[in-house]
Amino acid sequence: YFIALLFEGIPLLHLELALGQCLRKGSIGAWNTISPYLGGVGAGSWMVSVLVSLYYNTVLTWVMWYFINSFQEPLPWSVCPLNENRTGLNEECYESTAVNYFWYRKTLNITPDVTESGTLQWWLILCLATCWAIVYLCTIRGIETTGAIYVTAIFPYLVLTIFLIQGLTLPGATEGLAYLFTPNLNTLKNPRVWLDAATQIFFSLSLAFGGLIAFSSYNPPKNNCEKDAVTVAIVNSVTSLYASIPVFSVLGFKATTAYWDCLDRNIIHIINEFDLPEESIMRQNYTAWVSFLNSSYPEKVAGLKLRSCDLQEFLDQSVSGTGLAFIVFTQAIILMPGSQAWAILFFIMLFSLGLSSMFGNIEGVFTPLLELRVISKSIPKELLSGIICLISFLVALCFTLGSGSYWIDIFDSYAGSVPLLVIAFFEVIGVAYVYKIKRFSKDVKWMTGRKPNLYWQITWRFVSPLLLLTVFVAFVALQIQKPPSYTAWNPKY
């Protein structure tokens, strides 16, 4: 992450801010000005902005649905019938959870395969329409006139602070933070990890989407874009680290609770089988009891088929993407005291974050359309914003199908990562070797008052394009070795 930040994120952020500020154009216009052959870079950024807008708003749709349901008893549905024995749930349903059932069956009503489209889910359509209506209202007169960005940018900090205070008081928070800050250097051998790091930087800094170039085109010509790039990158990364602490505190609590449940189930089995007194086996002396019984009654213990309870395994079950927010983190929230209030706060925060991300993407879509004069200037901004949001809503209806979640996952794994590497690579090459780095440095000096130092020169010329190319080639080589796949819902499980 930090390697990607230093050698990809910050240099690209400065490059895009300086480019937009210098040329006073959006993504397509800026790259066409540099060279007609680089117009495809701007067009690629525009297409990614469109796709990411659809992606973000679909996630906002799910967040809104979860938020609405947070006012009820938190996720009261269960796929497993209760048993009359002391284990509570049928053993064949042990792996199922109410959260999994709510996500796959009640929210997505997911099909077992991407080729089975299923039907449109009316509750998701209503939430999707509401989300696009909110985006429209916030951008009705253009991004530069809306005040909503201040609310959506500041509110998540407040919620994160509340979650931080609560998270650090939960049992297992220490284990979660130790898991977060303990590096596993073996994972660096996997090209997917490098791609994930680069993608995280691109998404969190909004690089290669075209929105930054459009935003910076509104800056005063003499604005210090170098200072802006460094400041934004540092604040962004500190925020990411700050957000990770409450998240992993809660995930540590969830893993610890699951670990305790695993021990309790095994303890109940042992007490029942050996007819031991209640509370004779506790979590603290569980390991000693199992060792003793294994040495004395190995066949009897083997017949119990006790589950392997390892806290590290439960910590390793933490996932990213939609699974983190809608399954793992939600499952942890349910276990917290006052879970409904925490669920409402969490999903309001997610909605604010998604909405603020939408503003940049909409600007990346909006500005190039005006520059290319595809649409007459006589058309009011209100009408243009409405047309863009309406078309986006109609296209995004495919994500409300039973197979919609599969397409989102495929986009997240491939369309939302690899194209960003390609676009960013040609952005750096275009500035360094087509526009020429000396000419670009003079433009930056005219705007900021000083020539870019050696760090900027080396990263723009060599390090950034080489690192981007290396990650891309390694990822492609990895994909050739195994066919692309996606995780599917198995209705028999």
Side-chain angles (χ1 to χ4, degrees), residues 296-451:
S296 304
Y297 312 97
E299 294 182 2
K300 211 171 181 181
V301 173
L304 289 174
K305 296 181 180 179
L306 299 176
R307 293 184 60 86
S308 174
C309 299
D310 184 1
L311 179 59
Q312 188 64 34
E313 288 184 8
F314 288 107
L315 287 168
D316 288 337
Q317 289 174 6
S318 299
V319 295
S320 60
T322 54
L324 173 63
F326 299 110
I327 298 178
V328 176
F329 207 84
T330 302
Q331 197 165 355
I333 289 177
I334 290 174
L335 301 173
M336 294 165 60
S339 56
Q340 282 178 272
W342 294 112
I344 291 168
L345 263 181
F346 178 67
F347 290 114
I348 289 177
M349 179 189 73
L350 283 188
F351 194 86
S352 299
L353 289 170
L355 194 60
S356 62
S357 297
M358 282 295 296
F359 295 154
N361 289 317
I362 289 295
E363 185 67 14
V365 175
F366 191 87
T367 303
L369 288 178
L370 295 177
E371 288 180 348
L372 293 175
R373 298 178 183 175
V374 175
I375 300 172
S376 173
K377 286 188 176 182
S378 61
I379 298 178
K381 275 191 173 181
E382 296 88 343
L383 180 58
L384 180 57
S385 296
I387 292 171
I388 291 173
C389 291
L390 179 61
I391 293 174
S392 299
F393 164 72
L394 295 174
V395 173
L397 285 175
C398 67
F399 297 130
T400 65
L401 291 166
S403 61
S405 176
Y406 295 136
W407 293 111
I408 285 289
D409 288 340
I410 291 170
F411 167 83
D412 192 27
S413 300
Y414 301 101
S417 55
V418 179
L420 295 177
L421 285 179
V422 177
I423 292 169
F425 174 77
F426 283 106
E427 281 187 349
V428 180
I429 294 297
V431 169
Y433 299 103
V434 178
Y435 192 72
K436 301 297 182 184
I437 203 70
K438 289 184 179 179
R439 182 181 173 189
F440 186 66
S441 297
K442 287 181 181 178
D443 293 338
V444 173
K445 184 179 180 181
W446 179 81
M447 292 185 292
T448 64
R450 62 179 179 274
K451 187 179 178 180

Side-chain angles (χ1 to χ4, degrees), residues 1 31 35 49 55 184-185 214 257 312 354 364 400 406:
Y1 173 83
W31 292 111
S35 171
S49 290
Y55 171 80
N184 181 4
L185 298 181
T257 304
Q312 188 64 34
T400 65
Y406 295 136

Side-chain angles (χ1 to χ4, degrees), residues 167-168 170-180 248-249 252-253 256 315:
L168 292 177
L170 295 172
T174 305
E175 286 74 13
L177 293 179
Y179 182 78
L180 166 64
F248 274 83
S249 298
F253 163 69
T256 301
L315 287 168

